[in-house]
C-alpha cells in the first residue's frame, strides 16, 4: 500500500484520472453484459416452461382430456371395482338378431348426444362479492378463465383493468426457458382477447391428440401478422402444425398488441 | 472531460442494445386451446373446366362430400371475386390468392372433368389459400354413372390435403334392413342415401362385415336348413355363398368378422349350445379356439394391428367387455360400469373401443380406451342406440337408433357433434358396418 502511494506521486494526475475512468467504463460494460447477456442469446427451441406451467394449472385430479373425446362429463367409471354384481337376468343368447332389450319410451325428438348441457364443463363457481382490493392475478387465474371463457364472463382482473380500478401485475410464462414475466392487466386482457380471436380461426380436426406446437408470431403495432409465423417447436404432425399456422394467418389482424414484436403462441391439442 | 461523458454514453448504448432483445424475450406466451366447438375450413370450389352440366353436378357432389366431412364449409360461388370456372391446371395464370382470402376461403379447389364415351375422368388441385400453396393434385376415373362418387372422392382428397387423413364421403355402409319385408343385407353410399339390396334370400340375414379391401362382405344367414351359417358377398363376380363348410355341420356360426389384414376371421360358434370365439384362415384353414368357458363369449372385434380382440363375455355375471390376445391368451376385463355392456368396436386408430352400455333400460353408445382409463358416453338418448361401427378415418361412427321410430342409421363425429341420419323412411335399419376407403384413397 505504501509503495502504491509513493508511486502515485510520480504519475501525472490527469493520466491517472483517465485510467480510473477507463477502468470504470470497462467494469460497467462487463456488468451490463453479465446482466443482459442471457437476453441477447436466442431462445433455445423447445419450451418446457410452458408445459410445466400448464401442469400446474390443471385442476387436481383432471387427467389429460382425450383429444377426440366427446366433451363429456362422463360419469367416469369408478376405478375398477373388482367385482360386478351378479345379475339375476337371463343370459343373453347369441343373437340371430340384435338383442332387443325391454323397451323404452316413445320415440323422442333428438335430444342429441353429448349435448353441451349434458356434458357441460364444471360451472365456474360464482365468486363471492368482489373484493375491494386489487387481486393478484396469476397464471392459474388466466387458465381458469380460459376454461370458462365461452361464457364471456370477464375475469375480475380484466374488469379491473377495463375500469382502471387497479393496476396489479400478473405473472405469466414467457417464451424463454421456463421463465416467467410480470405483466399488466392490460396485457392479460390482450392475451385473453387474442386467444379467443385466434381460436375462432382454428380448425382442429378430430384425431389430433396429445400434440403441441409453438409459434413465434411477429406482430406490428396494429396487430397484423408480419410474414409467416415461425414454428419454434413442432408437434410431430405436420398437418397439425399447418393448422395452427393457418389459424394465426387467418386471424390477422389480431387485437392490437401492447407492443409490436415477436410473441410466442402455444397450441396444445387438448383443453387442459 | 471526455471520459466523464463516455460513461453514461456507454451505459445507454449497452441498455439500448439489450432492451429490444429483452423485451422480445419477455413477451408472455399466448396459449390457445381448442374451443370444443367444431369449426370448419371454408372451401371455394370452382366449376371444373369441361362440360358445364357435368361440372355443375360434380361441384354439387364435391360440396356434399366436404359438408359430410364436418371439416369444411363450402363458400357460395356468388361470393367469388375471381372466376367461377377453373382455368387449365397446367400453364394457366397463377391464382389470385388475395381475392380468395378476401372472401374468407381457406381452400380453393379447381380442376377439370372430361367424358369420353362412357368413361369419366376428373382431375383436381387444392390450394392452401392462406399460404398460396398447392397442396394436392389427383386424378380419378370411372364410368359416367360414377360422377357423384368421383365428386365425393375429390372432397375426400381435399380433406386429406388439409388434415393428413382423407375424408370418408366416398365410402359405403352395409347394413340389415327389413324394407322388403325380410331382413336382407343392403349397401349404400354413405352420402347419397340410396340403399342397394345385396341379398335376396327372403330369410333372416344378420351382421354384415366388410373385408378390409372392400371387396367382400361376410354375413350370417339362415338361408340353409334354417340354421345360421356364414356367407360371403363379393363385388362384381359370382359370390362364393356359404363358407367354412368344412367345419362341424352341427356347429352354428353366429357371426364372422375380418381381421385387419383380411387373411383370417374371428367366428362366434355355438358348440354344444355354448357360444365360443374361434379364428380361422380366410380359406378355411387353421381353425383355432380362443375361448373355452361355460359362459357366453360373443362379438369379437380386432384391434387395428390385429394383435388383440375385444369381446363380450358374461363370465362375471352380466355381459361385459373383455380383451384378449389374438391367440386367446391374456384375457382381461375392460368394463365395470353398469351390468350390461356389449357390441365392442375397436377404432381404426386404436384409441377407443366403442360399445353399447345399457342404462335405465336403454342402450347408449360409449367409448372406452383399451386400457380402461377413460370411459365416456358418446350417444345418449331415451331410445336405443346400438351397433356402432367406425369410419375408416376413425373420425366418425355409424350406429342404429330407434329415436325416430322403427330404426334408422345415424352418423356422428367422435367428439359427439354433427349427428345426422343416413337412412330414412325404411322400417328397421340395423347392424351397420362401415366399409373401408376406396382404393384410390388408401
Amino acid at each position: 500500500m505504501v509503495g502504491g502511494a509513493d508511486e502515485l506521486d510520480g504519475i501525472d494526475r490527469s493520466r491517472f484520472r483517465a485510467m480510473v475512468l477507463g477502468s470504470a467504463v470497462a467494469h460497467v460494460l462487463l456488468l451490463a453484459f453479465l446482466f443482459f447477456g442471457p437476453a441477447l442469446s436466442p431462445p433455445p427451441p423447445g419450451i418446457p416452461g410452458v408445459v410445466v406451467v400448464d401442469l400446474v394449472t390443471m385442476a387436481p385430479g383432471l387427467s389429460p382430456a382425450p383429444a377426440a373425446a366427446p366433451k363429456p362429463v362422463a360419469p367416469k367409471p369408478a376405478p375398477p371395482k373388482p367385482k360386478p354384481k351378479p345379475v339375476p337376468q337371463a343370459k343373453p343368447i347369441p343373437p340371430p338378431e340384435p338383442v332387443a332389450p325391454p323397451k323404452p319410451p316413445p320415440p323422442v325428438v333428438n335430444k342429441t348426444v353429448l349435448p353441451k348441457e349434458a356434458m357441460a364443463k364444471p360451472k365456474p363457481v360464482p365468486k363471492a362479492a368482489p373484493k375491494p382490493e386489487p387481486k393478484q392475478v396469476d397464471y392459474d387465474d388466466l387458465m381458469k378463465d380460459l376454461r370458462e371463457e365461452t361464457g364471456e364472463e370477464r375475469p375480475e382482473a380484466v374488469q379491473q383493468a377495463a375500469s382502471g380500478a387497479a393496476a396489479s401485475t400478473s405473472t405469466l410464462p414467457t417464451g424463454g426457458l421456463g421463465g416467467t414475466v410480470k405483466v399488466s392487466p392490460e396485457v392479460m386482457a390482450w392475451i385473453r382477447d387474442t386467444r379467443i380471436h385466434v381460436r375462432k380461426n382454428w380448425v382442429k380436426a378430430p384425431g389430433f391428440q396429445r400434440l403441441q406446437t409453438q409459434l413465434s408470431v411477429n406482430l406490428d403495432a396494429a396487430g397484423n401478422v408480419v410474414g409467416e409465423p415461425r414454428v419454434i417447436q413442432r408437434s410431430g404432425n405436420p398437418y397439425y402444425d399447418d393448422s395452427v399456422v393457418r389459424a394465426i394467418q387467418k386471424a390477422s389482424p389480431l387485437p392490437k398488441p401492447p407492443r409490436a414484436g415477436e410473441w410466442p403462441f402455444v397450441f396444445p391439442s387438448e383443453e387442459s | 472531460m471526455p471520459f466523464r461523458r463516455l460513461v453514461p454514453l456507454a451505459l445507454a448504448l449497452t441498455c439500448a442494445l439489450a432492451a429490444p432483445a429483452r423485451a422480445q424475450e419477455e413477451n408472455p406466451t399466448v396459449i390457445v386451446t381448442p374451443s370444443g366447438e367444431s369449426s370448419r375450413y371454408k372451401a371455394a370450389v370452382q366449376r371444373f373446366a369441361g362440360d358445364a352440366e357435368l361440372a355443375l353436378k360434380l361441384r354439387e357432389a364435391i360440396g356434399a362430400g366436404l359438408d359430410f366431412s364436418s371439416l369444411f364449409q363450402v363458400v357460395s360461388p356468388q361470393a367469388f371475386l375471381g372466376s367461377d370456372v377453373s382455368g387449365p391446371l397446367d400453364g394457366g395464370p397463377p391464382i389470385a390468392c388475395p381475392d380468395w382470402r378476401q372472401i374468407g376461403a381457406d381452400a380453393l379447389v379447381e380442376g377439370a372433368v372430361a367424358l369420353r364415351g362412357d368413361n369419366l375422368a376428373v382431375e383436381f388441385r387444392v390450394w392452401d389459400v392462406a399460404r398460396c400453396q398447392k397442396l394436392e393434385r389427383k386424378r380419378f376415373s370411372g364410368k359416367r354413372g360414377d360422377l357423384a362418387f368421383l365428386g365425393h372422392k375429390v372432397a375426400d382428397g381435399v380433406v386429406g390435403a388439409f388434415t393428413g387423413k382423407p375424408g370418408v364421403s366416398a365410402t359405403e355402409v352395409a347394413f340389415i334392413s327389413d324394407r322388403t319385408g325380410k331382413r336382407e343385407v343392403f349397401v349404400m353410399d354413405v352420402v347419397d342415401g340410396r340403399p342397394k339390396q345385396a341379398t335376396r334370400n327372403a330369410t333372416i340375414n344378420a351382421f354384415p362385415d366388410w373385408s378390409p379391401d372392400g371387396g367382400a362382405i361376410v354375413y350370417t344367414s339362415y338361408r340353409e336348413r334354417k340354421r345360421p351359417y356364414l356367407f360371403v358377398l363379393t363385388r362384381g363376380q359370382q359370390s362364393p355363398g356359404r363358407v367354412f363348410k368344412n367345419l362341424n355341420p352341427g356347429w352354428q356360426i353366429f357371426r364372422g368378422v375380418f381381421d385387419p389384414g383380411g387373411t383370417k376371421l374371428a367366428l362366434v360358434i355355438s358348440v354344444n349350445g355354448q357360444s365360443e370365439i374361434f379364428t380361422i384362415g380366410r380359406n378355411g384353414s387353421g381353425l383355432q379356439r380362443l375361448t373355452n368357458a361355460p359362459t357366453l363369449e360373443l362379438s369379437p372385434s380386432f384391434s387395428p394391428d390385429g394383435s388383440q380382440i375385444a369381446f363380450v363375455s358374461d363370465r362375471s355375471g352380466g355381459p361385459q367387455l373383455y380383451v384378449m390376445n389374438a391367440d386367446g391368451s391374456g384375457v382381461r376385463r375392460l368394463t365395470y360400469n353398469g351390468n350390461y355392456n356389449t357390441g365392442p368396436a375397436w377404432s381404426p386408430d386404436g384409441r377407443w373401443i366403442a360399445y353399447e352400455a345399457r342404462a335405465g333400460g336403454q342402450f347408449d353408445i360409449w367409448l372406452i380406451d383399451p386400457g380402461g382409463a377413460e370411459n365416456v358416453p358418446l350417444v345418449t338418448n331415451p331410445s336405443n342406440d346400438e351397433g356402432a361401427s367406425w369410419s375408416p378415418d376413425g373420425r366418425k361412427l355409424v350406429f342404429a337408433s330407434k329415436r325416430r321410430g322403427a330404426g334408422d342409421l345415424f352418423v356422428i363425429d367422435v367428439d359427439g357433434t354433427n349427428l345426422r341420419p343416413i337412412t330414412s323412411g325404411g322400417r328397421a335399419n340395423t347392424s351397420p358396418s362401415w366399409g373401408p376407403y376406396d382404393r384410390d384413397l388408401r
Side-chain angles (χ1 to χ4, degrees), chain B residues 371-417:
Chain B
E374 296 168 72
N375 190 21
V376 292
L378 176 70
V379 182
T380 57
N381 184 278
S383 63
N384 275 342
D385 302 299
E386 54 197 1
S389 172
W390 291 88
S391 62
D393 63 354
R395 291 180 180 137
K396 295 178 183 290
L397 296 100
V398 61
F399 63 97
S401 175
K402 292 187 176 169
R403 66 188 65 198
R404 298 200 306 192
D408 275 311
L409 302 184
F410 289 77
V411 166
I412 192 167
D413 285 5
V414 67
D415 63 2
T417 60

Side-chain angles (χ1 to χ4, degrees), chain B residues 1 54 67 265 290 297 318 370 423:
Chain B
M1 288 285 177
L54 283 177
D67 180 59
L265 293 93
L290 304 188
E297 320 294 320
T423 58

Side-chain angles (χ1 to χ4, degrees), chain A residues 99-118:
Chain A
V99 185
K103 212 4 223 221
V108 184
V109 223
N110 292 355
K111 211 189 189 174
T112 324
V113 192
L114 289 197
K116 313 248 141 87
E117 313 90 69

Side-chain angles (χ1 to χ4, degrees), chain A residues 46-234:
Chain A
I47 298 175
V50 171
V51 176
V52 170
V53 174
D54 247 340
L55 290 175
V56 168
T57 56
M58 286 175 93
L62 267 185
S63 62
K71 299 192 66 160
V73 161
K76 281 247 175 195
K81 306 170 199 162
K83 55 178 305 180
K85 272 196 273 182
V87 184
Q89 71 201 10
K91 280 184 174 185
I93 291 171
E97 314 170 18
V99 185
K103 212 4 223 221
V108 184
V109 223
N110 292 355
K111 211 189 189 174
T112 324
V113 192
L114 289 197
K116 313 248 141 87
E117 313 90 69
M119 317 295 246
K121 302 172 197 169
K123 259 274 188 224
V125 184
K127 285 186 177 169
K131 295 178 189 169
E133 70 274 358
K135 182 178 179 252
Q136 175 68 27
V137 183
D138 69 5
Y139 191 63
D140 283 353
D141 297 308
L142 178 68
M143 290 308 289
K144 204 166 128 205
D145 292 341
L146 304 192
R147 287 191 284 268
E148 298 169 359
E149 82 186 5
T150 43
E152 297 302 327
E153 190 178 325
R154 305 204 84 195
E156 205 173 325
V158 174
Q159 285 173 345
Q160 287 169 348
S163 66
S168 66
T169 56
S170 312
T171 305
L172 292 181
T174 67
L177 259 180
T180 57
V181 63
K182 289 188 174 177
V183 295
S184 65
E186 288 78 8
V187 174
M188 292 278 290
W190 176 80
I191 287 176
R192 180 175 178 276
D193 293 347
T194 299
R195 201 191 52 257
I196 293 170
H197 179 68
V198 173
R199 173 186 275 185
K200 283 179 189 159
N201 289 280
W202 183 20
V203 180
K204 188 184 91 72
F208 289 133
Q209 296 157 12
R210 295 167 188 153
L211 302 174
Q212 179 165 295
T213 303
Q214 182 174 11
L215 305 179
S216 180
V217 181
N218 191 4
L219 297 178
D220 69 14
N224 293 300
V225 175
V226 182
E228 179 151 328
R230 279 186 303 128
V231 181
I232 303 298
Q233 183 187 15
R234 298 191 180 281

